[in-house]
Amino acid sequence: MSSGVAPVITLNDGHLMPTLALGTGRGTAKEQDSIEEVRQAVFWALEAGYRHIDTASIYGDEEQVGQGIADAIAKGIVKREEVFVTTKLWNDKHACEDVVPALMESLGRLRLDYVDLYLIHFPIATNADGDPLNVDYLETWKGMEDAKKLGLARSIGVSNFNADQLSRLYQYSEIKPAVIEVEVNPTLTQHPLVDFSHRLGVAVMAFSPFGFVVSRDSGDAPPPRADDPVLVTLANKYGKTVTQVVLRYLVDRGLVPIPKSVNKARLAQNINIFDFQLAPEEVAEIDKFNKNVRVIDGKGWEDYPNFPFERN
Ligand code: NDP
């Protein structure tokens, strides 16, 4: 079964990155869902044509991601070098000397010799109990540079940094970040941060790409939902689903969306978006939903050093 193949982009360090990734963070999973579903989802995704998988040590599923990749390699569906694997450093490993050992542990769970992309998950540092620590992310970055120099990570980058933090990192780093992974969706369009990153030559991965469009406990979160007339009209026009239109909106803005699904049909649907394109005015129409409202708002960390988001 093959549903689609994402084009690749060239990162600022020369490596190639597929422009759509399977998300394996399970923030939307229900209590009864087993983590084993990740292994199956990764396998189905590779079978359907995905070549980029996004995980993190804090997701607790690197082992299952590694098993899914190993299964697909064993079945001859992919070779290791054809899969782009992204994982992330958690907040309690921000001391420079902790970075490489943390990555080695991730590699052990993934059963890989290297990852394609290693990201600092948040600019915030904590101890193992989650209490704040004042570690400068420039120090953490030196450990990331070591990881790249050792060949354990082909590319390095950051996640959840704001523009000032990215700018400072860019200015003072020996190796420039190749990627920034941040939340982008119709209610959080992030134009200033995306434009700034692109001007620096830093590729932008978009997490929680569906925002509140799909079923979450959305409460009083702003529209759009799946029945929104603007999205439904576009979906009908292109013979696609509303969720495909939302992913295409991100791709047409030059972003790399990371849709999460553990459902075979939905994950196949999510990569089947490379045979149509939205017109610039349709992208602008979806931009109008922006309310700067986040799915991941970092609540509880507002008083920590280097908190990256606006404090409400
Ligand atoms: P998403 O926006 O990807 O939404 C996931 C939800 O959408 C799930 O409930 C999924 O259910 C459902 N879904 C998926 N495809 C469809 C479809 N075609 N139609 C209808 N429903 C669909 O949210 P996430 O917050 O999970 O973000 C995606 C990924 O981004 C994460 O998995 C993680 O890898 C990354 N991430 C990174 C963060 C960071 O700090 N760097 C923070 C948050 C996420 P089902 O599985 O049943 O299909």
Side-chain angles (χ1 to χ4, degrees):
M1 175 189 69
S2 185
S3 295
V5 172
V8 293
I9 51 169
T10 305
L11 300 176
N12 61 14
D13 60 8
H15 289 296
L16 302 178
M17 180 169 82
T19 50
L20 183 126
L22 177 75
T24 66
R26 297 169 70 253
T28 52
K30 313 255 178 324
E31 221 169 279
Q32 67 272 15
D33 295 341
S34 154
I35 197 155
E36 278 306 310
E37 67 186 10
V38 173
R39 175 184 186 153
Q40 182 67 79
V42 167
F43 180 83
W44 282 333
L46 293 169
E47 204 180 29
Y50 286 70
R51 292 295 178 263
H52 186 171
I53 312 290
D54 180 84
T55 183
S57 60
I58 195 66
Y59 300 164
D61 66 2
E62 288 174 313
E63 219 171 296
Q64 288 73 21
V65 168
Q67 287 165 350
I69 294 170
D71 291 347
I73 292 174
K75 290 233 160 70
I77 293 165
V78 284
K79 298 191 182 75
R80 165 64 186 101
E81 57 273 22
E82 293 168 343
V83 187
F84 191 102
V85 181
T86 297
T87 195
K88 312 184 193 86
L89 175 82
W90 190 236
N91 305 347
D92 61 352
K93 305 287 184 196
H94 273 215
C96 179
E97 64 275 15
D98 287 347
V99 176
V100 166
L103 176 52
M104 303 271 279
E105 284 180 21
S106 286
L107 290 171
R109 289 187 289 267
L110 287 160
R111 290 195 276 161
L112 299 176
D113 301 330
Y114 68 91
V115 288
D116 296 274
L117 177 63
Y118 199 40
L119 301 175
I120 301 180
H121 205 146
F122 278 91
I124 293 165
T126 70
N127 64 17
D129 293 329
D131 300 321
L133 278 187
N134 203 353
V135 181
D136 190 338
Y137 49 80
L138 294 184
E139 183 192 325
T140 314
W141 189 253
K142 291 203 171 69
M144 300 292 283
E145 292 176 335
D146 290 343
K148 181 169 162 87
K149 288 174 190 166
L150 288 167
L152 300 173
R154 296 255 159 109
S155 299
I156 50 176
V158 296
S159 181
N160 294 301
F161 277 44
N162 63 33
D164 288 344
Q165 292 167 333
L166 178 65
S167 171
R168 180 168 172 262
L169 177 65
Y170 197 88
Q171 193 179 348
Y172 293 107
S173 50
E174 180 194 334
I175 300 174
K176 304 303 168 200
V179 172
I180 181 168
E181 180 176 315
V182 288
E183 181 179 338
V184 192
N185 51 52
T187 33
L188 185 72
T189 55
Q190 298 259 42
H191 275 278
L193 178 56
V194 167
D195 294 348
F196 178 67
S197 304
H198 282 166
R199 276 202 304 278
L200 289 179
V202 177
V204 182
M205 290 173 69
F207 76 66
S208 301
F210 297 129
F212 301 102
V213 173
V214 297
S215 61
R216 303 184 178 267
D217 295 330
S218 303
D220 54 4
R225 299 286 187 274
D227 60 354
D228 188 277
V230 169
L231 297 180
V232 170
T233 301
L234 289 172
N236 290 341
K237 172 176 172 184
Y238 291 106
K240 293 286 178 181
T241 63
V242 160
T243 38
Q244 287 172 315
V245 167
V246 171
L247 293 175
R248 191 65 223 191
Y249 156 77
L250 297 166
V251 167
D252 286 330
R253 287 185 52 200
L255 305 170
V256 176
I258 319 170
K260 173 263 176 187
S261 183
V262 291
N263 174 281
K264 190 173 187 177
R266 285 194 288 276
L267 63 79
Q269 189 190 112
N270 293 343
I271 198 172
N272 188 9
I273 59 163
F274 294 101
D275 57 354
F276 81 112
Q277 202 174 347
L278 298 178
E281 57 276 18
E282 293 167 340
V283 171
E285 188 75 4
I286 296 179
D287 273 336
K288 288 187 195 153
F289 287 114
N290 184 43
K291 290 282 182 299
N292 296 321
V293 171
R294 294 175 186 276
V295 171
I296 305 290
D297 56 13
K299 257 200 180 60
W301 288 342
E302 291 94 333
D303 298 329
Y304 284 39
N306 299 321
F307 180 72
F309 307 144
E310 51 295 325
R311 292 179 174 84
N312 295 316

